[in-house]
Amino acid sequence: METMGMTNKQWYADVRNQIEDWEDVREMIQGTPDSPGKELALKKI
């Protein structure tokens, strides 16, 4: 039996959830002291 992947709506909902999570991470990082790792993390986000 074949398995179906996600529908477009499911995929977009998943992406939106991931974006919200990364925005939370960005807010946490911005509240930390400056460091080379902080700049890289913000760039990657």
Side-chain angles (χ1 to χ4, degrees), residues 9-41:
K9 286 184 180 183
Q10 290 170 322
W11 188 85
Y12 284 116
D14 184 55
V15 169
R16 279 192 300 270
N17 288 336
Q18 289 182 42
I19 290 170
E20 289 175 2
D21 290 343
W22 282 112
E23 287 173 345
D24 292 341
V25 171
R26 181 176 49 204
E27 287 177 16
M28 288 189 303
I29 290 173
Q30 286 177 333
T32 62
D34 288 339
S35 69
K38 176 182 175 179
E39 185 176 320
L40 178 60

